[in-house]
Amino acid sequence: MRYLLLFGLLIFFACNSKEPEIIQEQNSGRRIREVKENVPLDSIRLSDPAILADAKSGMYYMTGTGGWLWKSKDLKLWNGPYWVAETDSNSWMGKRPMIWAAELHQYKDKYYFFGTFTNDQIKIDTVKDNVIPRRASHILVSDQPDGPYVPMQDPTYLPADAPTLDGTFWEEDGIPYMIYCGEWLQNWNGTMSKIELKSDLSGSIGESDTLFRAFDAPWSREVNSEGDTLPSKVTDGPWLFKTQTGKLGMLWTSWVYDVYTQGVAYSESGTLDGPWIQEEEPITPPNFGHGMLFRTLEGKLLMSVHSHRSENGRYIRYPNLFEMDDSGDKLILGPKYNPK
């Protein structure tokens, strides 16, 4: 119960402390916030930061938890937030869904918003006294990197009776996939899964396959209700990559007791089907997680993650950048990157 309380508090503070003040709310439920200019990266409150470097516009676009977007020319100073996630209030998401862990991906001639949407007015299950709301990874589309991102034809990508989150994109042998997490609150041993997507990403095809489970991680830790120390049950924040030698890897995040921590796994076969071999130790120091990789417009490989600090008793999550080395078979963490 202590673990559940901690998890709930972290989600509450992350979702309620990271965004500028609401200055207007329309009847549709869409929120409008003050747009600011030249905001330093470390002054932005944002969970799960994901950055798209767009060569065509010469700009960086950052999303994360919430349906907001920030823009920058140099990674140092940012303008925003701009509301970009347009959802259908008549869909299962309802009028004003929570939006977590949004990522932008360019694929073919479109831009796609991969997000986790939650409608807490719909209850799909109760497990160990925990009422589970309708939650799923879903994809919106736009012709431009700065949106707006709008729904496509299919109402669902994943089963309505299973809470899923943190969907990300990967293409293998010309086939697009969503890689996503199965919520630990329902299965009590979080999963990492894949599902094939339609060629325009407007829906999914067939059934999903499990790649690995939370308990496979040798580095994560939690204490269960009986007082035993076990691997954490949480899978979170997948991000796929290939090293310059062609090694397929995945960043993903879990917990070491009460500290959000990021690990990495590598596919022995070089494909999504694995088997996935977990690294013995986390790739980042404690208190960094939900990472993703991108190359700057100049070609430098960086990782975007969030960390946290306490401000006046509030739990604040904020973006960080690290330099990375992918020249060998394994990803190597470099120093913190400070844009100039």
Side-chain angles (χ1 to χ4, degrees):
M1 290 303 297
R2 183 175 66 178
Y3 181 86
L4 288 172
L5 178 61
L6 174 65
F7 183 80
L9 287 172
L10 293 181
I11 291 297
F12 173 82
F13 288 123
C15 292
N16 287 278
S17 64
K18 64 186 179 303
E19 297 170 345
E21 181 182 359
I22 296 175
I23 59 174
Q24 183 180 350
E25 184 166 342
Q26 297 179 341
N27 291 335
S28 65
R30 173 178 172 178
R31 294 151 290 177
I32 299 176
R33 301 182 188 270
E34 178 186 2
V35 173
K36 298 182 179 181
E37 295 185 350
N38 298 322
V39 180
L41 182 65
D42 61 3
S43 296
I44 296 173
R45 300 176 180 181
L46 185 65
S47 298
D48 315 323
I51 296 175
L52 172 71
D54 184 62
K56 184 176 180 180
S57 62
M59 296 285 288
Y60 298 98
Y61 301 90
M62 181 169 64
T63 51
T65 285
W68 307 94
L69 176 140
W70 293 80
K71 305 178 186 180
S72 175
K73 292 182 178 180
D74 58 10
L75 294 174
K76 182 178 182 180
L77 298 176
W78 296 79
N79 296 344
Y82 304 92
W83 181 258
V84 296
E86 302 294 345
T87 57
D88 180 3
S89 61
N90 294 317
S91 72
W92 67 265
M93 296 181 191
K95 183 177 180 181
R96 186 173 156 180
M98 290 187 287
I99 305 175
W100 294 353
E103 301 175 356
L104 303 182
H105 294 271
Q106 184 179 9
Y107 181 62
K108 298 181 179 179
D109 60 346
K110 300 284 187 180
Y111 294 86
Y112 295 91
F113 180 106
F114 281 62
T116 301
F117 299 86
T118 301
N119 183 347
D120 60 9
Q121 301 303 306
I122 300 176
K123 312 301 180 184
I124 63 172
D125 203 354
T126 301
V127 179
K128 299 189 178 184
D129 298 325
N130 296 303
V131 177
I132 299 172
R134 178 76 171 94
R135 175 177 298 139
S137 295
H138 203 87
I139 306 172
L140 309 178
V141 66
S142 177
D143 291 325
Q144 305 295 330
D146 54 356
Y149 288 85
V150 299
M152 291 184 279
Q153 63 190 44
D154 281 12
T156 60
Y157 285 74
L158 298 161
D161 60 352
T164 60
L165 67 156
D166 293 355
T168 191
F169 178 72
W170 189 250
E171 185 181 11
E172 186 170 279
D173 296 330
I175 299 173
Y177 292 91
M178 180 193 290
I179 314 303
Y180 66 93
C181 301
E183 177 67 84
W184 67 271
L185 283 169
Q186 185 181 55
N187 57 36
W188 227 244
N189 181 8
T191 56
M192 196 69 72
S193 300
K194 70 166 186 176
I195 193 165
E196 184 178 341
L197 299 175
K198 296 180 179 180
S199 60
D200 62 355
L201 312 193
S202 64
S204 57
I205 298 172
E207 302 294 325
S208 63
D209 294 314
T210 298
L211 306 182
F212 60 83
R213 296 180 180 273
F215 286 0
D216 295 340
W219 51 266
S220 67
R221 294 288 183 273
E222 69 179 45
V223 178
N224 66 13
S225 57
E226 287 76 38
D228 301 319
T229 298
L230 301 170
S232 172
K233 60 178 72 68
V234 177
T235 50
D236 206 54
W239 182 268
L240 281 294
F241 64 91
K242 275 194 174 181
T243 68
Q244 294 183 36
T245 62
K247 189 78 169 180
L248 178 63
M250 184 193 302
L251 295 169
W252 68 285
T253 303
S254 191
W255 294 79
V256 178
Y257 301 112
D258 60 348
V259 180
Y260 199 56
T261 305
Q262 183 169 265
V264 63
Y266 293 94
S267 170
E268 198 169 63
S269 68
T271 71
L272 288 175
D273 290 332
W276 288 88
I277 309 302
Q278 306 293 331
E279 291 289 274
E280 290 292 326
E281 300 293 335
I283 192 171
T284 56
N287 190 32
F288 293 95
H290 208 108
M292 57 81 62
L293 301 173
F294 71 99
R295 291 197 180 273
T296 67
L297 296 174
E298 296 73 35
K300 181 183 288 290
L301 183 65
L302 299 180
M303 178 171 62
S304 172
V305 294
H306 74 238
S307 187
H308 90 274
R309 60 177 178 256
S310 294
E311 292 183 0
N312 301 319
R314 303 181 73 186
Y315 183 90
I316 305 299
R317 286 182 172 180
Y318 59 98
N320 297 260
L321 299 177
F322 284 90
E323 297 182 24
M324 304 299 291
D325 180 359
D326 68 344
S327 60
D329 281 342
K330 291 189 176 182
L331 194 64
I332 297 175
L333 180 74
K336 267 196 163 185
Y337 179 75
N338 296 309
K340 297 180 180 180

